[in-house]
């Protein structure tokens, strides 16, 4: 566990914090039994344990005097108290804390919790004093509507419409708002159907069923028919429901969605047999949904299915898959038209600027090539996946100086005195101490609040200061937020050099590639554990690590050893080598395998052949990875690998790496037999279960 050196000088008054804590204890009537027994770091850790356990009495034994994290003890104490006791009992203490902790992110968090507690208690007079806060989530927004409704009447309910139209399950505080809206006829049956379809699209079937039950009984089918559409969606479609059947429209789309997620071809046949009986708008909706699922399943006819939808409007989740389906089919003109149809704010994203340039290149005329090269020049020089690709495509044009990529400008390193001053700041001291105590979630909240206040110079100072403290993940995060590029050593550090060099040499894996994966997986926090349980630098899942230990013949393996950088790098390199060996030695494929599992990566590669029999281009293959997380992961690992190679003046061409992604697998690997345990491991991701609804 890391330690830090700068703990003095916090503006938060420890005495005030303890006074607040004592005041809270007195307000609750809980007896204070003698002098608190825990102080220092032990008091902070015990306070977090008490907070997680919602153990109000445990705070009576804590004394965080003079500790930089004293406000956290008072904050956790008040949060538990709000959960357990009437909120008005703590009004004075809450307001004292909000005044005392204004320079911490704890103040707005407590204010929101305070308002939610008041809203839950329907104490609108007290609620009005602090409402609205600077930021509010959906739960608090619904309490705000409830407050204005009892104050102003029906007009306040109109704000609930924006909260209604979502496929997500909303907080309990929204239920009274929606009930009032329906009672006042502000929610129509069409509004209910609209949200029902959003819930179906989001695979939120409990919500879909609840919304279906909100429809008038005269307009919905019976429970038995609904259950059949739910359990046997393909059979329901095959029975050819018609618009004349009561409630059939809702069940038609419900069954279509569920069936298309499971199997595209059979669903397509059933849909084609029934769709002509339905109105044009329903046919277009069904065509779009089927095409969307076909595209996400890398179906070779997805582009044709989208064409059948005609001019039907596409939402923000369907538009990218329309473009990807056209690219996979080699229809660059259709892809370009789909890109042009994007809202301007999305069209200007670097991803779609790159693909607009790629599509323009295919026209082969001088004006289109000029436009493409202009777009590439806008992207080139940035250390991103698309920036590197644009750089390489410009370089491939030839020696014409007008095609040379822009030269990036790097920020100068700041004086050491600036980093020393930065490290004495209250927020920075809290960040360092929270990280040292393994309170990562709290650290990240503090960090986000801090960096929002920093300009480029401040971010450069933060990057250097965090690197000095060994907090490389925060150093990288600060460097990446800069508009001017930070020094390469800050953006792409090389910690634990002996561990990575030894692991790469032992398993024949390029050291740059290991750093590329580790930077994306853990940002070089050696003892980090993900929410799914992945551990350490290379974020190995325990089951995968046990398999690696067995393959490596490590007799004394224990899971705790994954916190050791040398062991973790070695195991990660072994597993990455396993992914590479099973996927042509291709880094894009191996990165996909590392994130989502080798089995899925092989499946996606097998679908990389177009209907005409040609292999999909490598950059199109990456763009079409069905999992959003894995697609982003592969792009970032490739960009990292390129940056690490450039750091040492080594050559790594993304275009060459991507070419390997489209090669067919060696026959011996296709027909080879692996043991059952290895086959089971190949079904799992090395990091987290990147299973997304509707993707293979």
């Amino acid at each position: 566990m890391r330690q830090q050196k700068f703990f003095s000088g916090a503006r938060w008054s420890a005495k005030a914090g303890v006074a607040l804590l004592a005041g809270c204890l007195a307000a609750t009537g809980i007896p204070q039994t003698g002098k608190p027994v825990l102080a220092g770091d032990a008091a902070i850790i015990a306070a977090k344990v008490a907070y997680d356990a919602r153990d109000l009495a445990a705070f009576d034994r804590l004394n965080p005097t003079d500790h930089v994290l004293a406000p956290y003890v008072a904050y956790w104490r008040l949060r538990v108290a709000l959960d357990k006791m009437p909120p008005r009992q703590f009004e004075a203490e809450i307001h004292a804390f909000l005044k005392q902790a204004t320079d911490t992110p704890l103040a707005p968090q407590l204010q929101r919790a305070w308002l939610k507690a008041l809203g839950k208690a329907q104490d609108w007079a007290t609620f009005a004093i602090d409402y609205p806060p600077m930021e509010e989530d959906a739960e608090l927004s619904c309490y705000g509507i409830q407050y204005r409704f009892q104050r102003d009447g029906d007009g306040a309910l109109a704000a609930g419409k924006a909260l209604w139209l979502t496929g997500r399950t909303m907080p309990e505080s929204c239920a009274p708002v929606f009930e009032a809206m329906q009672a006042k006829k502000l929610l129509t049956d069409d509004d209910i159907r609209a949200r029902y379809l959003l819930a179906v699209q989001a695979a939120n079937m409990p919500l879909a069923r609840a919304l279906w039950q909100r429809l008038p009984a005269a307009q919905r089918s019976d429970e038995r028919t609904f259950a059949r559409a739910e359990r046997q969606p393909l059979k329901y479609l095959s029975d050819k429901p018609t618009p004349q059947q009561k409630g059939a429209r809702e069940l038609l789309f419900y069954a279509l969605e569920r069936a298309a997620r499971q199997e595209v071809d059979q669903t397509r046949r059933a849909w084609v047999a029934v769709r002509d009986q339905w109105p044009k708008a329903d046919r277009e909706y069904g065509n779009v949904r089927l095409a969307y699922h076909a595209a996400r399943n890398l179906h070779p006819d997805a582009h044709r299915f989208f064409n059948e939808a005609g001019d039907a409007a596409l939402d923000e989740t369907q538009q990218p898959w329309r473009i990807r389906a056209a690219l996979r089919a080699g229809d660059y003109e259709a892809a370009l038209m789909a890109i042009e149809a994007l809202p301007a704010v999305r069209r200007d994203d670097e991803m779609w600027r790159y693909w607009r340039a790629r599509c323009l290149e295919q026209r082969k005329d001088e004006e289109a090539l000029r436009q493409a090269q202009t777009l590439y020049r806008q992207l080139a020089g940035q250390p991103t996946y698309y920036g590197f690709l644009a750089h390489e495509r410009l370089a491939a044009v030839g020696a014409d100086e007008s095609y040379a990529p822009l030269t990036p400008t790097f920020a100068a390193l700041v004086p050491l005195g600036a980093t020393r001053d930065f490290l004495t700041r209250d927020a920075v001291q809290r960040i360092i101490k929270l990280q040292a105590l393994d309170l990562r979630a709290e650290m990240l909240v503090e960090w986000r609040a801090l960096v929002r206040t920093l300009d480029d110079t401040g971010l450069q100072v933060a990057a250097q200061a965090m690197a000095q403290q060994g907090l490389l993940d925060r150093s990288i995060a600060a460097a990446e937020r800069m508009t001017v590029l930070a020094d390469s050593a800050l953006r792409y550090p090389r910690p634990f050099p002996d561990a990575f060099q030894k692991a790469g040499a032992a398993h024949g894996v390029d050291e740059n590639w290991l750093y590329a994966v580790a930077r994306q997986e853990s940002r070089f926090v050696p003892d980090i554990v993900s929410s799914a349980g992945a551990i350490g630098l290379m974020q190995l899942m325990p089951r995968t690590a046990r398999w690696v230990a067995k393959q490596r013949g490590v007799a004394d393996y224990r899971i705790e050893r994954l916190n050791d950088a040398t062991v973790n790098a070695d195991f990660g390199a072994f597993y990455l080598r396993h992914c590479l060996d099973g996927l042509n030695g291709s880094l894009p494929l191996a990165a996909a395998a590392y994130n989502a599992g080798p089995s899925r990566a092989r499946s996606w590669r097998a679908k990389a052949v177009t209907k005409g029999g040609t292999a999909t281009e490598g950059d199109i293959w990456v763009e079409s990875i069905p999992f959003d997380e894995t697609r982003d992961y592969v792009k970032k690992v490739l960009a990292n690998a390129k940056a690490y190679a450039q750091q040492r003046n080594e050559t790594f061409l993304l275009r060459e790496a991507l070419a390997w992604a489209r090669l067919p697998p060696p026959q011996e690997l296709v027909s080879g037999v692996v043991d059952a345990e290895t086959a089971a491991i190949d079904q799992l991701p090395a990091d987290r279960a990147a299973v997304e609804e509707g993707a293979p």
Side-chain angles (χ1 to χ4, degrees), residues 12-27 32 62-66 70 73-74 77-78 92-93 96-97 100:
W12 168 268
S13 165
K15 290 182 179 178
V18 174
L20 272 177
L21 185 58
C24 293
L25 290 166
Q32 299 182 55
L62 307 180
N63 179 9
T65 303
D66 295 330
V73 179
R77 173 64 182 74
L78 287 168
E93 290 79 19
F97 183 95
Q100 184 72 32

Side-chain angles (χ1 to χ4, degrees), residues 44-45 47-52 54 69 71-73 75-76 79 104-106 109 426-450 452 473-474:
I44 307 303
I45 295 169
K48 184 58 166 63
V49 171
Y51 171 70
D52 290 340
R54 295 300 189 262
L69 298 183
Y72 278 85
V73 179
Y75 168 77
W76 288 328
R79 286 295 308 273
T104 79
L106 298 177
Q109 289 183 62
D426 299 349
V428 177
Q429 292 182 42
R430 292 194 298 269
I431 287 166
I432 294 172
K433 192 61 173 174
L434 286 165
Q435 179 68 15
L437 296 181
D438 200 25
L439 296 171
R440 185 169 177 81
E442 290 78 8
M443 181 275 289
L444 289 174
V445 173
E446 286 272 7
W447 172 261
R448 292 177 189 124
L450 171 66
R452 283 196 293 265
D473 61 326
R474 295 306 92 208

Side-chain angles (χ1 to χ4, degrees), residues 73-129:
V73 179
Y75 168 77
W76 288 328
R77 173 64 182 74
L78 287 168
R79 286 295 308 273
V80 175
L82 285 175
D83 287 347
K84 287 181 169 287
M85 307 187 76
R88 280 288 296 277
Q89 203 163 322
F90 304 98
E91 184 174 5
E93 290 79 19
I94 292 285
H95 284 111
F97 183 95
L98 294 178
K99 183 178 180 180
Q100 184 72 32
T102 52
D103 64 339
T104 79
L106 298 177
Q109 289 183 62
L110 184 64
Q111 185 183 40
R112 289 192 294 271
W114 163 241
L115 287 168
K116 289 176 185 180
L118 292 171
K120 187 175 182 180
Q122 304 285 283
D123 184 349
W124 302 122
T126 311
F127 184 93
I129 296 171

Side-chain angles (χ1 to χ4, degrees), residues 286-511:
N287 287 339
V288 167
R289 293 309 298 169
L290 185 68
Y292 168 74
H293 286 296
R296 293 197 71 217
N297 279 272
L298 306 181
H299 193 284
D301 286 322
H303 178 49
R304 179 166 64 87
F305 297 166
F306 268 116
N307 286 340
E308 290 180 355
D311 296 327
L314 305 181
D315 65 29
E316 63 180 16
T317 63
Q318 295 158 356
Q319 288 170 327
W321 285 104
R322 174 71 185 97
I323 299 167
R324 292 172 184 131
L327 290 170
R328 279 175 53 81
D331 191 341
Y332 291 95
E333 282 300 313
L336 185 58
M337 289 178 61
I339 292 169
E340 296 293 352
L342 293 170
V345 67
R346 299 187 70 193
R347 191 169 61 244
D348 289 341
D349 183 86
E350 67 169 3
M351 173 170 64
W352 300 124
R353 280 189 287 156
Y354 170 80
W355 285 111
R356 185 167 184 266
R358 283 277 277 114
C359 292
L360 287 167
E361 273 189 309
Q362 307 307 310
R363 288 182 172 175
K364 309 297 183 186
D365 65 78
E366 186 174 331
E367 174 59 20
L369 288 173
R370 185 190 65 77
Q371 292 179 39
Q373 288 150 10
T374 298
L375 288 166
Y376 286 144
R377 284 181 60 80
Q378 292 171 2
L379 296 171
Q382 295 300 313
T384 65
Y385 172 75
Y386 295 106
F388 287 138
L389 281 177
H391 183 290
E392 291 183 12
R393 295 195 81 86
L394 285 170
V397 172
D400 191 325
E401 188 62 29
S402 65
Y403 298 146
L406 298 174
T407 302
T409 302
F410 289 91
L413 293 176
V414 296
L416 288 177
T419 61
R420 284 196 298 269
D421 291 343
F422 180 80
L423 288 169
T424 64
R425 295 176 62 170
D426 299 349
V428 177
Q429 292 182 42
R430 292 194 298 269
I431 287 166
I432 294 172
K433 192 61 173 174
L434 286 165
Q435 179 68 15
L437 296 181
D438 200 25
L439 296 171
R440 185 169 177 81
E442 290 78 8
M443 181 275 289
L444 289 174
V445 173
E446 286 272 7
W447 172 261
R448 292 177 189 124
L450 171 66
V451 296
R452 283 196 293 265
T453 69
L454 303 178
D455 59 12
D456 262 6
T457 300
L459 290 167
Q460 179 82 344
V461 172
Q464 289 180 216
M466 294 294 100
Q468 289 173 19
Q469 290 294 300
L471 303 184
L472 295 182
D473 61 326
R474 295 306 92 208
S475 176
I476 293 169
E480 286 190 333
R481 286 179 65 94
M482 294 176 61
T483 57
V484 178
L485 295 184
D487 181 78
S488 176
L490 290 175
R491 288 181 66 100
Y492 300 98
R494 291 178 178 267
F496 313 105
D498 292 342
F500 280 99
Q501 190 279 327
K502 183 179 178 181
H507 304 296
V509 179
D510 189 318
E511 184 181 324

